[in-house]
Amino acid sequence: MSFLQGYLILIIPIVAASVAQLLFKKGVTNLGSLDFSLTGIISLIPRVFQSGWLLLGVGLFVVAFLTYLIVLSKYQLNIVYPIFVSLGIIIVSLASWFSFKETLSWLQILGIIVIIFGIFLVATKG
C-alpha cells in the first residue's frame, strides 16, 4: 500500500467517527434533558436503543474502530493518531456550525487553521 493510499484509507475512520459524533448530538438533542445520576443513566439505556440516530452513530463508531485498526496495523501511531484527531476536530467543528448552528469564534477558526498546518507538519516525513 502506497503512502497516499494509507492516507486515503485513514479518511474512512475519520469521517465515520466524525459523522457518528454528529449523529450522537442529533440523537441526544431529540432525547431532551438528561440527568447525570445513576437513575438517569439507567433510564437512558432503553431510550438509546429507541433512537435511530444514536444507533446509527454507534454503528459508524464500529466502522471507524475497525478501519482504524487496519490503518494502525500499517502505519506509525505517532503520525496516524494526530491526523485522526485533528481532522476529526475540523470536521466536527465545521459540521456542527453548519448543521446545528453552533457558533465558532474567531479564535476557534484560527485554531482550525493552525490545526490544518499542524496536520501537514505531522504528515510530512522530514
Side-chain angles (χ1 to χ4, degrees):
M1 186 179 298
S2 75
F3 190 68
L4 181 58
Q5 286 174 324
Y7 284 115
L8 290 177
I9 197 169
L10 182 56
I11 295 299
I12 296 169
I14 291 169
V15 170
S18 298
V19 172
Q21 291 293 338
L22 296 166
L23 292 170
F24 288 158
K25 175 67 174 179
K26 175 73 171 166
V28 79
T29 301
N30 290 345
L31 290 181
S33 180
L34 300 177
D35 180 25
F36 192 69
S37 66
L38 182 59
T39 310
I41 292 171
I42 291 172
S43 69
L44 176 63
I45 294 169
R47 294 168 64 195
V48 167
F49 288 102
Q50 295 172 348
S51 170
W53 298 111
L54 296 175
L55 291 175
L56 187 55
V58 170
L60 279 175
F61 254 148
V62 170
V63 169
F65 171 72
L66 296 175
T67 54
Y68 187 66
L69 291 179
I70 293 168
V71 172
L72 284 180
S73 73
K74 300 181 184 311
Y75 298 98
Q76 292 180 203
L77 177 63
N78 67 334
I79 294 174
V80 170
Y81 183 69
I83 294 170
F84 179 85
V85 172
S86 300
L87 283 176
I89 290 169
I90 294 168
I91 292 168
V92 169
S93 296
L94 295 176
S96 296
W97 170 74
F98 182 74
S99 299
F100 302 115
K101 308 300 182 222
E102 295 181 354
T103 59
L104 281 176
S105 70
W106 286 108
L107 281 176
Q108 290 169 313
I109 293 168
L110 179 61
I112 289 171
I113 293 168
V114 170
I115 288 170
I116 291 169
F117 286 120
I119 290 169
F120 284 112
L121 293 175
V122 169
T124 304
K125 291 195 173 199

